[in-house]
């Protein structure tokens, strides 16, 4: 058992109408019984009207579909919107949606899409009615696509650098960051713009960094309660990937000169393809990143105090744990509660990709998220990744993506309630693709891959977005609940935000044989709490690392 080594920081159908040939009286009795059972199980849920069931409405910019009855019963007032992407976006496994909620409750969702071989756009939609409807998708940024050319093992490698949009909100100000191709697509620049007021109208973009030699990738954005903005990224201006960050103070229009977070051991950089995460806390800026210390790909953090010129020496979150000769394309998430700073990350030191959450100033090992499903003949663990954290009223919320077990392949959505509730047979559970055994890990996660790794639609039942919450500062988490699982669909790269009045909004990328979409779902926190109390039966996740 290993102890955390956190540094101190200032304190994230009806009856299937089957047609049946049953007598009318029998049907009537059955309906009454079903109604009584449903009323008992969901007596405090406000269920949508049956007229919404199995509805699919396509409206130019996006598709709205009503989810299954089972999902609706678990998630009262669940609202789902899908925004189809272009065919050119299908192969990308790194881009993620950007999500923010203004103080007024307005939801903003953005994403990047390829519109030609040399051009991308950042699309934006907003909702003024708590996620019931969204505006038509509008292009707010147009940028060329920069192609990076490098030599690797004697061969020329070309990579089209990504746009990686981020959104944040401060009061009624909406902040947008993205990676721009610069003039003539000859360089890349991290750009910053903001929109103030009820009508979305972004200001002229400014550069986050001052150096023209900067090469920002794997970026992040954070805004503090006081309006301090921090951006972090990986930068190969020194011919290796090193974390950098820049800060814009309240009432300032420009960013301070960027600062290197950590040069890496011997100045050789860190894990080269995992996103960084910036987080603002009381004017200080914290950056979390995946290091590469002697081959160990563990999470570290470094702090830039508000009045200091340089970052303090970085500190590992755990003792050397995951020795891995590759890059998993999976970065950390950071949030704060009254108990301190919380960091979530993926780690596969056990041979399986699992999500962990740790706390600062704690000698306890990180909490491992999820359960190992056990039956009489087999024991398996489900592959997880891309965690994100958010807080509301001092409750810590966690979302991540997780592959559905083999046993759900071919099932309809209504059959896939929550993977944690499924009972798998020994035959179905004998192997779950995606678990990383040491002999094949190098092939599944290589530097420079698209980040999809071993998670492959059609190999398992699919992949879904899960959510759990912690009321004790991350020490234990509630049972995992799938937001909107769909057999055969690959959901990944989730984002979560919570409005001031407790509306949970989750966005993710979704891939299937029909194409790729950006998906956004919204539900009240109270619905999640009530759902969890009914389903978890006292279970919580707490395990040694």
């Amino acid at each position: 058992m290993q102890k955390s080594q956190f540094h101190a920081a200032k304190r994230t159908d009806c009856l299937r109408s089957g047609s049946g040939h049953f007598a009318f009286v029998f049907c009537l009795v059955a309906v009454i019984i079903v109604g009584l059972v449903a009323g008992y199980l969901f007596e405090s849920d406000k269920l949508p009207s049956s007229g919404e069931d199995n509805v699919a409405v396509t409206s130019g910019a996006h598709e709205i579909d009503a989810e299954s009855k089972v999902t609706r019963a678990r998630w009262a007032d669940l609202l789902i919107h899908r925004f189809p992407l272009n065919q050119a976006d299908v192969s990308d496994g790194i881009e993620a949606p950007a999500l923010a909620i203004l103080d007024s409750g307005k939801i903003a969702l953005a994403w990047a899409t390829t519109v030609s071989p040399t051009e991308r756009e950042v699309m934006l939609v907003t909702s003024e009615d708590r996620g019931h409807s969204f505006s038509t998708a509008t292009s707010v940024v147009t940028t060329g696509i920069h192609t990076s050319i490098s030599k690797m093992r004697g061969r020329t490698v070309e990579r089209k650098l990504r746009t990686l949009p981020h959104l944040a909100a401060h009061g009624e100000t909406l902040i947008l960051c993205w990676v721009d191709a610069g003039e003539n697509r000859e360089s890349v620049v991290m750009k910053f713009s903001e929109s103030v007021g009820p009508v979305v109208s972004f200001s002229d973009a400014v550069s986050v960094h001052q150096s023209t030699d900067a090469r920002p990738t794997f970026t992040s954005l954070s805004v503090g309660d006081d309006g301090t903005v921090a951006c972090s990224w990986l930068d190969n201006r020194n011919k290796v990937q090193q974390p950098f960050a820049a800060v814009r103070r309240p009432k300032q229009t420009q960013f301070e000169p960027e600062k290197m977070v950590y040069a890496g051991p011997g100045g050789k950089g860190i894990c080269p393809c995992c996103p960084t995460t910036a987080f603002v806390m009381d004017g200080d800026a914290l950056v979390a990143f995946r290091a590469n210390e002697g081959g160990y790909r563990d999470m570290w953090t470094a702090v830039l105090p508000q009045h200091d010129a340089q970052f303090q020496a970085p500190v590992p979150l755990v003792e050397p744990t995951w020795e891995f000769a590759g890059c998993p394309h999976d970065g950390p998430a950071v949030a704060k509660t009254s108990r301190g700073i919380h960091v979530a990350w993926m780690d596969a030191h056990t041979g399986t990709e699992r999500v962990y959450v740790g706390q600062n100033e704690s000698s306890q090992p990180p909490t491992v998220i999820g359960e190992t499903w056990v039956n009489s003949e087999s024991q398996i663990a489900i592959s997880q990744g891309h965690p994100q954290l958010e807080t509301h009223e001092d409750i810590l919320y966690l979302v991540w993506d997780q592959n559905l077990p083999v046993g759900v392949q071919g099932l309809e959505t209504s059959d896939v309630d929550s993977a944690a509730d499924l009972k798998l047979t020994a035959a179905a559970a004998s192997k779950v693709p995606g678990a990383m055994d040491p002999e094949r890990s190098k092939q599944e996660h290589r530097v420079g891959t698209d980040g999809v790794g071993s998670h492959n639609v059609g190999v398992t039942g699919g992949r879904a977005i899960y959510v759990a919450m912690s009321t004790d500062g991350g020490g234990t988490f509630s049972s995992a609940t799938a937001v909107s699982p769909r057999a055969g669909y690959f959901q990944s790269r989730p984002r979560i935000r919570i409005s001031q009045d407790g509306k949970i909004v989750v966005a993710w990328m979704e891939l299937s044989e029909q194409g790729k979409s950006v998906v956004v779902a919204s539900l009240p926190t109270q619905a999640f709490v009530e759902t969890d109390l009914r389903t978890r039966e006292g279970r919580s996740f707490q395990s040694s690392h």
Side-chain angles (χ1 to χ4, degrees):
M1 179 181 298
Q2 300 175 349
K3 293 184 178 180
S4 304
Q5 296 182 346
F6 284 83
H7 63 290
K10 288 186 181 179
R11 326 309 179 237
T12 255
D13 228 267
C14 39
L15 293 168
R16 179 174 287 181
S17 29
S19 342
H21 299 291
F22 300 106
F24 171 80
V25 174
F26 181 82
C27 288
L28 181 60
V29 171
V31 169
I32 293 172
I33 293 174
V34 170
L36 289 173
V37 172
Y40 172 78
L41 291 175
F42 310 113
E43 58 185 357
S44 62
D45 284 345
K46 180 183 176 182
L47 297 178
S49 66
S50 59
E52 295 181 353
D53 290 340
N54 302 317
V55 174
V57 180
T58 301
S59 175
H62 64 281
E63 174 186 309
I64 307 172
D65 66 51
E67 297 300 302
S68 69
K69 293 180 180 61
V70 175
T71 301
R72 282 180 173 275
R74 293 175 65 87
W75 296 111
D77 299 327
L78 177 67
L79 302 169
I80 299 285
H81 298 260
R82 288 184 168 83
F83 301 85
L85 293 173
N86 295 329
Q87 184 62 32
D89 303 317
V90 169
S91 62
D92 188 282
I94 300 295
E95 291 278 6
L99 187 63
I101 304 180
L102 303 175
D103 282 358
S104 61
K106 176 190 285 187
I107 302 168
L109 173 70
W111 65 89
T113 183
T114 301
V115 295
S116 77
T118 60
E119 195 171 70
R120 288 199 188 100
E121 293 181 340
V122 176
M123 309 300 294
L124 179 75
V125 295
T126 59
S127 174
E128 306 276 0
D129 56 8
R130 300 169 56 82
H132 287 269
S133 64
F134 279 83
S135 63
T136 300
T138 303
S139 174
V140 293
V141 170
T142 300
T143 176
I145 300 174
H146 176 74
T147 301
S148 172
I149 301 176
S150 60
K151 296 287 185 179
M152 182 178 292
R153 299 185 180 92
R155 61 188 180 92
T156 299
V157 178
E158 294 187 359
R159 296 188 181 92
K160 295 182 182 297
L161 297 188
R162 294 172 173 87
T163 306
L164 305 171
H166 299 280
L167 288 175
H170 182 247
E172 290 305 299
T173 298
L174 182 62
I175 299 169
L176 172 67
C177 278
W178 71 96
V179 176
D180 197 276
E183 296 183 9
N184 303 318
R185 301 194 300 275
E186 294 179 353
S187 63
V188 287
V189 181
M190 189 173 182
K191 293 289 188 71
F192 169 95
S193 183
E194 56 188 348
S195 174
V196 181
V199 178
V200 175
S201 178
F202 285 101
S203 62
D204 293 340
V206 299
S207 176
V208 169
H209 47 84
Q210 295 185 6
S211 173
T212 57
D213 293 328
R215 294 293 183 268
T217 59
F218 300 99
T219 57
S220 79
L221 165 68
S222 175
V223 59
D225 292 339
D226 66 349
T228 297
V229 176
C231 297
S232 66
W233 64 92
L234 290 184
D235 195 315
N236 74 344
R237 67 180 71 181
N238 298 319
K239 309 307 178 186
V240 293
Q241 290 283 71
Q242 295 168 321
F244 278 71
V247 175
R248 193 193 75 164
R249 297 298 174 184
K251 300 181 180 180
Q252 299 297 314
T253 59
Q254 301 292 324
F255 283 78
E256 297 174 352
E258 67 268 27
K259 297 172 173 61
M260 182 187 291
V261 178
Y262 179 47
K268 295 183 179 180
I270 64 170
C271 196
C273 298
C274 284
T276 58
T277 295
F279 187 75
V280 178
M281 48 184 187
D282 303 325
D284 295 352
L286 175 148
V287 175
F289 57 91
R290 191 182 295 276
N292 183 9
E293 303 286 321
Y296 286 91
R297 307 296 176 114
D298 300 316
M299 293 299 169
W300 290 49
T301 62
V303 173
L304 176 67
Q306 185 172 358
H307 302 294
D308 284 9
Q310 301 296 329
F311 276 85
Q312 296 176 347
V315 177
L317 299 183
V318 292
E319 297 173 355
T321 299
W322 187 21
E323 188 174 12
F324 181 56
C327 190
H329 294 83
D330 204 324
V334 182
K336 181 183 178 181
T337 68
S338 61
R339 303 197 182 198
I341 300 298
H342 310 272
V343 182
W345 68 94
M346 186 277 289
D347 174 307
H349 73 279
T350 63
T352 300
E353 298 153 311
R354 302 299 298 275
V355 168
Y356 297 84
V357 180
Q359 297 78 45
N360 68 319
E361 294 186 339
S362 172
S363 61
Q364 297 300 313
T367 301
V368 58
I369 303 301
E371 296 174 300
T372 299
W373 295 334
V374 181
N375 59 32
S376 59
E377 299 182 26
S378 67
Q379 177 172 301
I380 64 167
I382 297 302
S383 168
Q384 303 167 329
H386 310 117
Q388 294 288 302
L389 292 170
E390 187 63 280
T391 58
H392 177 68
E393 296 183 346
D394 216 36
I395 297 176
L396 186 64
Y397 291 84
L398 171 71
V399 294
W400 68 95
D401 53 59
Q402 174 174 303
N403 64 315
L404 296 171
V406 175
V408 305
Q409 186 168 2
L411 298 180
E412 297 297 328
T413 305
S414 59
D415 296 316
V416 188
D417 187 359
S418 169
D421 297 332
L422 295 175
K423 303 299 182 183
L424 305 180
T425 64
S430 61
K431 186 135 184 106
V432 174
M436 292 169 47
D437 73 60
E439 296 303 315
R440 66 180 187 174
S441 62
K442 292 183 181 180
Q443 286 72 46
E444 290 184 345
H445 289 274
R446 302 181 301 276
V447 174
T449 65
D450 64 2
V452 174
S454 61
H455 315 310
N456 191 6
V457 174
V459 176
T460 69
R463 197 166 178 90
I465 305 304
Y466 284 76
V467 62
M469 69 177 185
S470 173
T471 58
D472 61 0
T476 60
F477 279 81
S478 65
S479 297
T481 303
V483 177
S484 179
R486 310 179 83 192
Y489 284 70
F490 181 85
Q491 301 174 354
S492 69
R493 304 278 173 178
R495 295 293 185 264
I496 181 171
R497 294 290 185 268
I498 304 177
S499 67
Q500 290 190 334
D501 62 354
K503 188 79 167 182
I504 300 175
V505 182
V506 182
W508 63 86
M509 295 296 190
E510 185 172 272
L511 178 65
S512 72
E513 293 181 355
Q514 287 72 47
K516 189 174 183 179
S517 298
V518 178
V519 185
V520 59
S522 56
L523 63 148
T525 53
Q526 186 60 29
F528 174 65
V529 172
E530 292 174 355
T531 298
D532 179 70
L533 290 176
R534 290 194 187 93
T535 59
R536 68 175 176 161
E537 297 176 351
R539 294 174 297 170
S540 62
F541 304 146
Q542 187 174 30
S543 174
S544 64
H545 191 52

